[in-house]
């Protein structure tokens, strides 16, 4: 790989003490980044000593960490472990000890929360079947009050459903995201990358919040998440051909792979779109959400509404066409997502919060072996010049090898 010159310092891939390839640039200067043009996106150039090849097709993959510091009123957006504690409180308000019955424990980790919720959802999906064979668990089947058991199970399952839906909308709706902070963070990110004048961007997010759309609206980049007005003025999710449409026009595709606040499943398999500023509306349908579950596979799950499966098809199409894939704020605790990213021949990078956590670095490299690891966090402070090395590392990564 070529040495890169930024603000007088050399930038090159390096090996940490365990031999993991990372991108490090402690001497990168923010002044090395300068605007040369704007055609849809601002293209950036660096020192003439760098052999330049701009990003043509970027797929930006976002996880909860990408929204973490974009919360409104100084309140951070929740990670999975935060949602765990919020949900635990809501469950126990509905019935004392309900969280314990579901397996939601205080301060458990994000992966453990996903496992617990996944087990509940699996049980929820087979309630009728479990009731059908319940008498098999009794020495005297005549003593089994199947109807009473099923009634109690349904009541508690509905309590959990309601708590999930209401905390989802309270914690991930538009009111929880700061438009100004999202604007600042994404502007700094896009300024750091080396785009050509006709660059195409696809955002693929597993977040339920609209932070990416809010940022792109402020940047005048015309986000399109597949929302279309249909018959009778009803808005529905129609993501077929979304990536292709955006490549031909001026829009930027935003693929909500796990669903989004404001989307509701309908009985005909369609997804109705409501305003993401609204609170949960239990009369609108079931929220179109891929709930946290390490065993999830929305791409091939027949219980998923067709538009969600189409979004995954669009994601794979975008990855096939990508020259660069950048993962920000994602734990990658999602085998389907990881497999799709690894199948792409694009140049890849994954952000990591700490350069001192070798275990986390090795875990990320194990999941996506061809990715560069770029250390730094994501938030509105990027615009102010903080974390300059992180932005410089992104610039180095987006330059050619």
């Amino acid at each position: 790989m070529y040495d890169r010159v930024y603000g007088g310092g050399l930038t090159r891939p390096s090996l940490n003490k365990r031999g993991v390839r990372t991108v490090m640039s402690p001497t990168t200067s923010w002044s090395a980044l300068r605007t040369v043009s704007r055609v849809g996106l601002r293209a950036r150039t660096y020192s003439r000593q760098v052999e330049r090849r701009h990003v043509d097709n970027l797929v930006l993959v976002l996880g909860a960490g990408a929204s973490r510091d974009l919360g409104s009123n100084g309140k951070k957006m929740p990670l999975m472990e935060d949602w765990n504690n919020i949900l635990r409180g809501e469950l126990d308000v509905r019935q004392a000890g309900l969280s314990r019955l579901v397996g939601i424990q205080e301060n458990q980790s994000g992966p453990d929360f996903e496992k617990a919720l996944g087990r509940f959802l699996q049980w929820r999906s087979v309630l009728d079947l479990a009731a059908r064979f319940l008498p098999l668990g009794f020495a005297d089947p005549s003593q089994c009050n199947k109807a009473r058991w099923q009634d109690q199970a349904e009541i508690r399952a509905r309590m959990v459903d309601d708590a999930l839906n209401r905390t989802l909308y309270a914690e991930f709706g538009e009111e929880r995201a700061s438009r100004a902070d999202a604007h600042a963070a994404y502007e700094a990110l896009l300024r750091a990358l080396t785009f050509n004048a006709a660059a195409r961007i696809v955002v693929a997010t597993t977040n339920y919040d609209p932070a990416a759309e809010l940022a792109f609206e402020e940047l005048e980049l015309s986000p399109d998440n597949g929302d279309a007005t249909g018959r009778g003025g009803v808005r529905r999710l129609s993501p077929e051909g979304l990536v292709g449409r955006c490549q031909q026009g001026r829009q930027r595709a935003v693929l909500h792979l796990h669903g989004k606040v404001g989307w509701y499943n309908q009985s005909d398999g369609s997804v109705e779109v409501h305003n993401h500023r609204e609170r949960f509306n239990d009369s609108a349908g079931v929220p179109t959400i891929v709930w946290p579950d390490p065993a999830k596979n929305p791409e091939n799950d027949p219980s998923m509404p067709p538009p969600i499966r189409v979004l995954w098809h669009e994601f794979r199409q975008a990855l096939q066409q990508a020259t660069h894939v950048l993962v920000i704020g994602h734990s990658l605790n999602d085998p389907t997502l990881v497999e799709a990213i690894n199948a792409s021949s694009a140049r890849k990078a994954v952000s990591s919060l700490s350069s001192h956590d070798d275990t986390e670095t090795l875990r990320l490299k194990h999941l996506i072996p061809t990715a560069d690891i770029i250390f730094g966090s994501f938030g509105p402070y990027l615009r102010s010049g903080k974390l300059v090395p992180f932005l410089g590392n992104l610039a180095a990564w987006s330059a050619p090898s």
Side-chain angles (χ1 to χ4, degrees):
M1 178 176 286
Y2 294 88
D3 288 346
R4 300 181 176 84
V5 181
Y6 301 105
L10 291 178
T11 300
R12 67 180 68 182
S14 61
L15 300 180
N16 69 9
K17 63 184 180 183
R18 292 198 183 184
V20 175
R21 183 171 179 268
T22 60
V23 176
M24 303 292 290
S25 180
T27 59
T28 301
S29 168
W30 174 257
S31 63
L33 309 179
R34 62 183 178 86
T35 304
V36 293
S37 68
R38 177 174 179 177
V39 181
L41 279 174
R42 292 188 177 102
R44 297 293 181 266
T45 189
Y46 306 93
S47 166
R48 292 183 182 275
Q49 297 178 38
V50 179
E51 179 183 274
R52 291 187 291 272
R53 174 176 171 265
H54 297 323
V55 175
D56 293 316
N57 288 284
L58 172 68
V59 174
L60 182 60
V61 181
L62 306 175
S67 292
R68 175 64 166 169
D69 289 339
L70 305 182
S72 59
N73 302 317
K75 184 180 178 183
K76 290 182 180 293
M77 297 281 281
L79 302 176
M80 286 296 103
E81 49 264 38
D82 303 312
W83 195 10
N84 171 88
N85 289 335
I86 293 166
L87 179 61
R88 179 176 176 271
E90 288 295 322
L91 291 173
D92 289 343
V93 165
R94 286 161 173 76
Q95 180 179 325
L98 182 56
S99 64
R100 177 180 54 80
L101 297 176
V102 176
I104 307 298
Q105 302 175 19
E106 186 176 7
N107 296 328
Q108 67 184 359
S109 68
D112 286 343
F113 169 59
E114 293 198 28
K115 289 177 185 176
L117 191 56
R119 285 191 291 266
F120 165 78
L121 294 170
Q122 291 167 18
W123 172 80
R124 180 79 171 90
S125 68
V126 296
L127 260 183
D128 290 341
L129 190 62
R132 167 68 180 80
F133 293 101
L134 188 65
L136 292 175
F138 287 77
D140 181 358
S142 66
Q143 298 299 310
C144 172
N145 190 334
K146 184 169 67 175
R148 179 173 174 76
W149 178 90
Q150 190 162 12
D151 284 346
Q152 291 298 316
E154 287 285 356
I155 287 170
R156 291 187 175 91
R158 285 195 294 271
M159 288 181 181
V160 179
D161 291 344
D162 186 65
L164 273 171
N165 293 334
R166 294 191 185 281
T167 57
L168 168 76
Y169 273 70
E171 297 301 325
F172 300 101
E174 183 175 339
E175 290 181 357
R176 284 289 283 111
S178 166
R179 183 179 287 267
D181 287 351
H183 178 195
Y186 282 92
E187 181 179 45
L189 172 68
L190 298 181
R191 281 177 178 270
L193 297 173
T194 322
F195 291 100
N196 71 21
R200 294 190 282 261
I201 298 177
V202 173
V203 175
T205 176
T206 56
N207 297 335
Y208 309 129
D209 63 74
E213 286 102 315
L214 298 180
F216 276 42
E217 286 172 4
E218 291 297 308
L219 291 166
E220 301 179 2
L221 294 178
S222 304
D224 185 346
N225 59 27
D227 174 1
T229 302
R231 186 179 303 173
V234 177
R235 293 162 58 202
R236 295 192 184 275
L237 182 62
S238 302
E240 294 84 357
L242 177 57
V243 169
R245 283 201 311 272
C246 289
Q247 288 177 343
Q248 294 173 7
R250 295 180 58 84
Q251 297 82 15
R252 312 295 172 185
V254 180
L255 311 177
H256 279 273
L257 300 175
H258 287 174
K260 181 176 179 285
V261 165
W263 292 358
Y264 292 90
N265 298 339
Q266 304 302 300
S267 58
D268 62 359
S270 66
V271 172
E272 195 168 289
V273 178
H274 290 231
N275 195 312
H276 47 226
R277 298 182 184 89
E278 298 174 0
R279 291 288 183 172
F280 171 62
N281 181 357
D282 57 6
S283 66
V286 176
T288 306
I289 293 296
V290 180
W291 296 106
D293 179 357
K296 58 186 172 286
N297 186 356
E299 193 173 21
N300 297 313
D301 185 348
S303 69
M304 285 288 118
I308 290 292
R309 299 200 297 272
V310 171
L311 283 170
W312 278 86
H313 173 77
E314 294 291 315
F315 176 48
R316 286 192 180 270
Q317 178 183 332
L319 288 172
Q320 289 176 357
Q321 299 170 353
T323 58
H324 294 69
V325 176
L326 175 59
V327 182
I328 292 182
H330 210 295
S331 68
L332 298 177
N333 189 33
D334 187 326
T336 306
L337 182 80
V338 169
E339 182 274 323
I341 293 173
N342 279 324
S344 172
S345 61
R347 188 170 189 177
K348 307 177 185 76
V350 178
S351 69
S352 178
L353 285 176
S354 175
S355 60
H356 304 295
D357 189 347
D358 282 348
T359 300
E360 176 65 3
T361 301
L362 289 168
R363 186 185 72 86
L364 295 175
K365 288 294 290 184
H366 173 74
L367 290 170
I368 306 182
T370 61
D372 290 320
I373 309 300
I374 302 180
F375 302 115
S377 57
F378 182 72
Y381 34 76
L382 293 176
R383 177 192 273 175
S384 67
K386 294 182 180 179
L387 294 178
V388 170
F390 176 53
L391 295 173
N393 293 339
L394 286 173
W397 169 76
S398 65
S401 56

